[in-house]
């Protein structure tokens, strides 16, 4: 367990250092872009036709709702699978192997349900955007 903590601590330290370098390098790149484009961007260029039209629909709630619905359905299906395939899990003292099997069933069904919910959300969004165009 201690070896794992050492690896985790080293990964955290190097991750923080990497993010700091990335932050400063990205800032320098943005400043260079602003300097290059600074002369070209005038109010007249914006009047000529750069138009930002936000989408009429916001899909954030749909994504979260479909994700949570998928996770709920996945948990329900996982419970049904555990009840059907591992009846000894509901006894007083289940074995370790049964507990591992149950955790795999629950994890897989939750991940599949959540992924399926996000795919359904994507299909609904795509259909709505195609209809909008």
């Amino acid at each position: 367990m201690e070896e794992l903590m050492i690896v985790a601590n080293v990964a955290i330290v190097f991750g923080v250092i990497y993010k700091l370098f990335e932050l400063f390098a990205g800032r320098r790149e943005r400043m260079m872009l602003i300097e290059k484009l600074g002369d070209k961007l005038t109010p007249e260029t914006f009047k000529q036709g750069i138009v930002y039209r936000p989408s009429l629909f916001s899909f954030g709630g749909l994504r979260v709702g479909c994700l949570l619905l998928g996770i709920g359905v996945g948990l329900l299906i996982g419970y049904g699978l555990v009840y059907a395939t591992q009846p000894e899990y509901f006894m007083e003292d289940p074995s370790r192997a049964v507990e591992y099997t149950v955790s795999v069933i629950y994890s897989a069904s939750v991940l599949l349900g959540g992924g399926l919910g996000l795919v359904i959300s994507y299909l609904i969004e795509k259909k709505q955007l195609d209809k909008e165009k």
Side-chain angles (χ1 to χ4, degrees):
M1 188 67 174
E2 288 183 28
E3 297 87 13
L4 190 60
M5 291 301 293
I6 293 170
V7 171
N9 288 335
V10 170
I12 290 171
V13 168
F14 280 114
V16 168
I17 291 171
Y18 172 76
K19 280 298 186 183
L20 282 174
F21 280 121
E22 184 182 27
L23 178 71
F24 290 123
R27 183 177 185 274
R28 194 173 326 130
E29 287 177 12
R30 286 191 303 272
M31 293 303 289
M32 287 180 1
L33 279 173
I34 290 171
E35 288 173 5
K36 284 182 182 179
L37 295 175
D39 300 334
K40 296 177 184 174
L41 292 178
T42 60
E44 288 80 30
T45 51
F46 291 110
K47 289 179 185 175
Q48 292 174 358
I50 298 176
V51 178
Y52 172 71
R53 183 174 172 250
S55 177
L56 299 175
F57 301 101
S58 174
F59 295 109
L62 176 69
R63 288 182 195 139
V64 171
C66 285
L67 177 66
L68 292 177
L69 183 68
I71 288 174
V73 169
L75 279 172
L76 190 63
I77 289 173
Y79 178 78
L81 284 172
V82 167
Y83 191 77
T85 61
Q86 306 291 327
E88 60 270 9
Y89 179 71
F90 297 101
M91 305 275 179
E92 288 216 12
D93 191 27
S95 68
R96 278 300 238 197
V98 171
E99 288 181 8
Y100 289 140
T101 306
V102 167
S103 65
V104 167
I105 291 172
Y106 274 124
S107 301
S109 58
V110 164
L111 290 174
L112 285 172
L116 186 64
L118 288 176
V119 167
I120 290 171
S121 168
Y122 170 76
L123 293 174
I124 293 171
E125 288 177 31
K126 186 174 181 201
K127 182 179 176 184
Q128 187 66 37
L129 289 175
D130 287 344
K131 187 190 297 183
E132 188 178 308
K133 289 181 181 177

